[in-house]
Amino acid sequence: MDPRPLFQTLHALAEDNVNFFQESTSETGRRFVAAFTTIREHARCLEPVLSHFATIYHIFDLDEHTPANGYRSLAQTVRCCLAHIVHKSRYVATNRRSIFFRTSHNCAELEAYCTALTQLRALVYLAQRLLTQNRPGHLFNHEDRGLSEQFLQEYITMHKGCFYGRCMGFQFAPSIRPFLQTIAISLVSFGENYKRHVSGIGVAASSLFTSGKFAIDPELRGAEFERITQNLDVHFWKSFWNLTEMELLASLASMASSQVRLSRALLVPPHSFDLPLVADPQLTVTITPPVAHTGPGAVQMRLISHELREGQDSEELCNLMRPEGPLALELRWRTKPLPRSPYLVVHFHGGGFVAQTSKSHEPYLKSWAQELGAPILSIDYSLAPEAPFPRALEECFYAYCWAIKNCHLLGSTAQTVCLAGDSAGGNLCITVSMRAAAFGIKMPDGIMAAYPATLMQVSASPSRLLTLLDPLLPLSVLCKCLSAYSPTLEKLSPVNMVRRDTTMLFRDLRLGASSLFGSLLENTGKINGADSLPTRHTEPVRKSISEVGLKSKSLVSSKESRKSQTYQNLSCASDASPAQSPAQSPTPAPDPDPPAASFFMSDGKHEAVPPSYDGTLTFPDGFQPLRSDQPATCMPLELSPIVKNPFMSPLLAPDAMLKGLPPIHIVACALDPMLDDSVMFARRLRALGQPVTLRVVQDLPHGFLSLSQLCRETRQASALCTELIRDILVPQDPATQQPAATATHRKHRKLERTSHSTGAAASRAPNHTPAQENSAATAAEQEGPNGAAVRSGATPDAQARAAQEHQEGSRSPEGQQSGATDRSTPASGPGPSDGTVGRGVGA
């Protein structure tokens, strides 16, 4: 989109309003003149920068059919702010002589957007710095000390309250803004009453009575929102986000969602079991229960099914049920269960690794179960900071393996398995698949990851600059959540503290004994006339294992009382850089020394400005952003090597680990601060020849799946995720697929749809056994880039034969389906097509 008409209109309206209000002698008139003058100056400086961005957008896109990256998103946000200013300026110019014109209100609205434009100008200048300092074609700045650290310090001091008051959510769809304002009012009201009551219900009730003042006064709401996001700890956010777990709210959400026949909370005991290897089914590998930090423990999960199927009413599954409170009722059915479905969806919920459960994500999971006709197993993994990395990964991997082993209890044959997750759950989908490939067991047939986090570092990128104004993902909140997920020295458990103190005691005793023994040798040498020889060192020649382990960063940053296999085997991998060349992958290989600056901040007592920061960040033309009047918060950088672990940051994984992944479908948001994570991860997979698709929805915030019933835009985006899962469970014949470029769609009057590349989708016949599917996947991996075609599936003729065999099998007595009453095949109703919903980033 050419931005020149927008700037021309803005300049004309600003000039006209300035000329009018210059004749006024009132204070409001002078404020109008100052606001329009400032807006005109910002627009004059922003126009050439946005025009330059428009010439380099395509360099950072996944492909020509997927126009999405952080530079586009930042420019779209600036244009959206300018469009709001144009609308307000036109309204002022039209009604300024009317007796009903609210002068003070309109002046305050204009000043708020003027302030927002000032801060956005600073972000545009920071994006310019990224453009000049990053490697060509790269969105992230991987310097441990440099622009990423400077951006962090700018975020700490920059004024952010303007984005949480009158301008709350201006960049999103109009139907989303009232909900975001409600969330902001609830947040600041909850924060004002935080820790005043013991129960969450008491806090919620008190917040309801104090929310009125924040609804009336947007400036007060913005200032309080900024204070809360920067100063309150992660436990506050856990408490606020877990309000959706309250019985009353959960019941209301359950009534508004689709109804299912089965929604059971399960508790799987920590017992080891064996799974066959894909390469040789005669051999097995032992799957041990999760042990990180707290030792072996049961794993909680939830089984959701739209229809009752064989095995779901078994006594063995009933023995695994866990109570959910006084309102939880178990209904018994007299109807005959349907045959087991060949499909299974394993879901990992989002929540920043610190909050929410499958219960809070149950509304859209019920819709998935109804539309897909497949059982869904949602994993309630342990949450940080009580259970940091890698506890969640171990529990999710154990649950995935348990589902494959015990699929007969879940109403499925697990012939086709899909992993699905959003945000933190998307990260776990990828890392669980990487671990399954490392174990050599059955891989999932595909992954649907919605707005996943793939890089857990403070590396600045153009989309992450949007954390300054995002109401759901402010940088300070994101840092607190991910800091809780990263194990550090301050998080050592009491058992580890005793072990550390014992190690230091034995070290001191050993050093004392060594010194005594050395002095005796020295005296003996003097007596024997050997005093002319060089004096022996009193320090021991070899360091003990305890001392070496005590000084090791991997041990110092550990929190668990006993180390898990993931933590032990991959401690060195966290420091290793991916073995790749710039030509093979768009992600630069990080330097192992010094450690990468992580995306995690602590709440400890540190200096707000690290010693290496010299405050040399300057803006052109003498421009300076507005500074916050809140006290500078302590957000120091934590240098933790564990964030380089590929099982925490899959974007940094070596090529060999990524080549073993199944087909991945990524759904990202154009205005999400984590957009660049999805774009760069998709580019890495595409460069390695891996099947991957990237769909980008417009005008929606991070976490839209939890808002799937809120408005038309969220329903369409949620339907897109459902369609991608269906494509994994029931691959379409490539000969019958309609090309994305020729597909026609019904357009909404306020929406446009842009076509995107469907990528290389993997196809497997539904009647293939797990061993056959994984053997084919293994052969595809061994063939290298050409193996992608093998992994994608067979020819259309072979797929037709497989489908015919599957139908014959379903009619046989041994089949798992029952003809006309079969509902195990995912529904193929109308859903979103290859286009993405929204106005378009370039619009």
Side-chain angles (χ1 to χ4, degrees):
M1 174 182 176
D2 187 4
R4 286 178 295 180
L6 179 64
F7 283 101
Q8 291 174 358
T9 304
L10 180 62
H11 285 297
L13 289 171
E15 184 69 24
D16 178 62
N17 282 298
V18 166
N19 293 334
F20 176 83
F21 286 106
Q22 277 182 342
E23 301 177 358
S24 175
T25 58
S26 63
E27 177 63 24
T28 307
R30 288 191 291 269
R31 289 168 55 192
F32 267 118
V33 171
F36 280 115
T37 303
T38 305
I39 290 172
R40 185 169 52 185
E41 174 64 20
H42 291 328
R44 182 187 64 82
C45 297
L46 284 172
E47 183 174 5
V49 180
L50 295 184
S51 300
H52 175 64
F53 280 173
T55 62
I56 51 91
Y57 284 157
H58 63 282
I59 300 176
F60 306 94
D61 294 333
L62 175 63
D63 53 45
E64 59 184 6
H65 302 293
T66 314
N69 59 72
Y71 292 107
R72 291 181 181 272
S73 301
L74 182 58
Q76 175 187 347
T77 304
V78 176
R79 287 196 299 267
C80 186
C81 183
L82 292 171
H84 279 278
I85 293 176
V86 167
H87 173 75
K88 179 58 62 177
S89 300
R90 185 177 286 116
Y91 177 84
V92 171
T94 304
N95 300 277
R96 60 197 178 194
R97 288 186 172 88
S98 173
I99 59 174
F100 300 104
F101 181 67
R102 295 187 296 170
T103 306
S104 299
H105 170 77
N106 287 280
C107 183
E109 290 275 339
L110 192 66
E111 289 175 338
Y113 278 102
C114 177
T115 304
L117 187 62
T118 304
Q119 305 304 81
L120 288 174
R121 181 181 172 186
L123 296 185
V124 169
Y125 286 151
L126 290 173
Q128 272 189 311
R129 293 283 298 274
L130 286 172
L131 191 61
T132 57
Q133 294 188 12
N134 288 356
R135 297 182 182 182
H138 296 268
L139 290 171
F140 286 102
N141 184 274
H142 287 279
E143 296 180 1
D144 295 338
R145 298 288 185 181
L147 191 57
S148 297
E149 184 181 11
Q150 293 174 355
F151 165 61
L152 174 63
Q153 302 308 320
E154 285 294 324
Y155 174 87
I156 294 174
T157 60
M158 285 178 64
H159 172 63
K160 298 170 283 291
C162 60
F163 295 112
Y164 309 131
R166 298 178 185 270
C167 303
M168 168 69 74
F170 71 90
Q171 69 271 33
F172 299 115
S175 56
I176 296 292
R177 294 170 199 161
F179 171 78
L180 295 178
Q181 292 176 356
T182 304
I183 290 294
I185 294 173
S186 304
L187 176 67
V188 296
S189 301
F190 186 83
E192 189 177 45
N193 297 276
Y194 182 59
K195 293 184 178 179
R196 293 185 182 179
H197 301 272
V198 178
S199 65
I201 298 179
V203 178
S206 300
S207 303
L208 182 63
F209 291 103
T210 60
S211 60
K213 60 181 179 181
F214 298 112
I216 297 174
D217 192 344
E219 283 76 16
L220 177 63
R221 181 181 70 214
E224 187 68 10
F225 195 101
E226 180 180 359
R227 183 192 66 83
I228 289 176
T229 53
Q230 291 200 173
N231 297 304
L232 292 187
D233 57 12
V234 68
H235 297 285
F236 165 79
W237 298 102
K238 288 171 68 75
S239 302
F240 178 72
W241 289 335
N242 287 334
L243 287 177
T244 56
E245 307 287 333
M246 294 174 56
E247 199 65 38
L248 178 61
L249 295 180
S251 301
L252 294 177
S254 178
M255 289 187 295
S257 60
S258 302
Q259 299 302 313
V260 296
R261 299 292 297 274
L262 182 70
S263 178
R264 289 183 177 176
L266 308 178
L267 188 67
V268 177
H271 299 320
S272 299
F273 54 87
D274 295 333
L275 283 181
L277 295 177
V278 174
D280 187 356
Q282 301 298 327
L283 301 177
T284 60
V285 60
T286 301
I287 306 299
T288 58
V291 297
H293 303 289
T294 57
V299 179
Q300 302 182 25
M301 53 190 74
R302 179 181 300 277
L303 177 61
I304 301 175
S305 181
H306 183 251
E307 298 288 350
L308 182 67
R309 298 188 178 273
E310 293 179 357
Q312 295 177 347
D313 58 347
S314 63
E315 183 179 356
E316 185 178 356
L317 184 68
C318 292
N319 293 333
L320 299 177
M321 290 181 56
R322 58 184 171 91
E324 288 194 277
L327 297 183
L329 299 177
E330 177 63 21
L331 301 180
R332 299 292 180 179
W333 303 280
R334 298 183 181 275
T335 58
K336 183 179 180 180
L338 294 178
R340 288 186 291 165
S341 171
Y343 314 111
L344 178 65
V345 178
V346 181
H347 171 261
F348 307 127
H349 67 80
F353 300 104
V354 301
Q356 298 190 337
T357 64
S358 60
K359 190 68 176 178
S360 54
H361 292 249
E362 191 178 19
Y364 72 81
L365 292 179
K366 289 182 177 180
S367 300
W368 285 4
Q370 179 182 10
E371 297 178 18
L372 296 172
I376 298 177
L377 186 67
S378 183
I379 314 304
D380 287 322
Y381 52 88
S382 298
L383 302 174
E386 292 79 13
F389 176 85
R391 182 73 187 196
L393 172 60
E394 290 189 350
E395 291 186 357
C396 290
F397 176 72
Y398 180 83
Y400 166 75
C401 297
W402 182 89
I404 300 299
K405 179 77 173 180
N406 300 275
C407 58
H408 61 282
L409 301 178
L410 307 178
S412 171
T413 62
Q415 293 181 4
T416 307
V417 180
C418 172
L419 295 187
D422 65 307
S423 190
N427 176 288
L428 291 171
C429 287
I430 299 171
T431 53
V432 165
S433 300
M434 291 166 57
R435 196 172 188 198
F439 273 70
I441 61 175
K442 171 181 170 60
M443 293 283 289
D445 296 88
I447 297 174
M448 196 289 295
Y451 37 87
T454 62
L455 181 63
M456 306 298 185
Q457 292 181 270
V458 74
S459 301
S461 79
S463 74
R464 291 189 176 183
L465 297 179
L466 297 177
T467 54
L468 185 77
L469 63 151
D470 194 284
L472 300 178
L473 273 186
L475 179 59
S476 54
V477 178
L478 188 62
C479 292
K480 289 182 175 67
C481 294
L482 298 183
S483 176
Y485 185 58
S486 173
T488 57
L489 180 61
E490 288 78 7
K491 303 172 188 177
L492 286 174
S493 64
V495 176
N496 272 329
M497 291 180 181
V498 172
R499 184 178 62 178
R500 181 191 60 181
D501 296 339
T502 304
T503 303
M504 296 179 66
L505 175 62
F506 280 109
R507 183 197 62 180
D508 295 337
L509 292 176
R510 180 184 54 80
L511 291 177
S514 300
S515 301
L516 177 61
F517 183 70
S519 62
L520 292 176
L521 290 179
E522 183 177 359
N523 294 332
T524 303
K526 291 182 179 181
I527 294 174
N528 295 332
D531 52 338
S532 59
L533 297 178
T535 303
R536 296 179 181 268
H537 294 286
T538 58
E539 288 290 330
V541 178
R542 290 187 304 172
K543 292 184 178 180
S544 67
I545 297 178
S546 300
E547 185 177 0
V548 174
L550 184 64
K551 295 184 178 179
S552 173
K553 290 184 178 180
S554 61
L555 178 60
V556 168
S557 62
S558 174
K559 178 184 176 181
E560 65 273 32
S561 59
R562 60 187 73 185
K563 284 194 172 182
S564 64
Q565 185 174 2
T566 305
Y567 209 90
Q568 290 175 342
N569 296 346
L570 297 168
S571 59
C572 57
S574 64
D575 294 327
S577 60
Q580 58 189 8
S581 62
Q584 292 176 338
S585 171
T587 302
D591 298 329
D593 186 27
S598 70
F599 215 50
F600 314 125
M601 313 301 156
S602 69
D603 296 327
K605 297 180 180 181
H606 298 279
E607 293 295 331
V609 180
S612 61
Y613 177 67
D614 54 3
T616 58
L617 184 60
T618 58
F619 297 93
D621 303 325
F623 168 79
Q624 281 295 327
L626 300 177
R627 300 300 175 181
S628 174
D629 55 359
Q630 296 289 337
T633 183
C634 296
M635 294 176 60
L637 292 176
E638 285 186 3
L639 303 180
S640 176
I642 197 63
V643 300
K644 285 186 175 180
N645 192 316
F647 287 90
M648 178 176 278
S649 298
L651 184 61
L652 302 180
D655 292 348
M657 297 180 68
L658 296 182
K659 286 181 179 179
L661 290 176
I664 298 180
H665 300 285
I666 302 176
V667 180
C669 306
L671 300 176
D672 184 4
M674 311 302 290
L675 169 65
D676 289 339
D677 293 55
S678 299
V679 174
M680 292 302 294
F681 190 69
R683 290 178 63 184
R684 265 211 78 184
L685 296 177
R686 181 71 60 85
L688 295 173
Q690 288 292 108
V692 59
T693 65
L694 175 64
R695 311 292 180 87
V696 180
V697 297
Q698 312 298 325
D699 307 330
L700 294 181
H702 184 94
F704 65 78
L705 277 177
S706 299
L707 314 176
S708 57
Q709 301 302 319
L710 185 63
C711 61
R712 173 180 297 186
E713 289 84 356
T714 56
R715 287 193 295 269
Q716 290 175 339
S718 180
L720 173 61
C721 297
T722 308
E723 187 69 22
L724 293 176
I725 298 176
R726 182 182 292 113
D727 290 343
I728 295 173
L729 298 178
V730 188
Q732 299 181 10
D733 191 341
T736 61
Q737 286 184 353
Q738 186 177 11
T742 60
T744 57
H745 315 291
R746 180 174 60 89
K747 293 185 178 180
H748 186 260
R749 60 188 180 91
K750 293 185 178 180
L751 303 175
E752 294 179 4
R753 299 184 179 182
T754 57
S755 61
H756 291 265
S757 173
T758 57
S763 302
R764 293 185 178 91
N767 61 331
H768 283 181
T769 62
Q772 292 172 339
E773 293 175 352
N774 288 276
S775 299
T778 305
E781 294 174 11
Q782 294 175 353
E783 291 184 8
N786 295 331
V790 179
R791 176 184 281 271
S792 311
T795 60
D797 294 338
Q799 291 184 351
R801 290 194 299 269
Q804 183 177 1
E805 294 173 0
H806 178 62
Q807 293 177 0
E808 294 175 357
S810 65
R811 291 192 293 269
S812 64
E814 298 177 358
Q816 298 296 334
Q817 304 178 16
S818 58
T821 61
D822 177 27
R823 300 184 183 179
S824 63
T825 303
S828 58
S833 56
D834 292 335
T836 54
V837 183
R839 298 180 306 198
V841 178

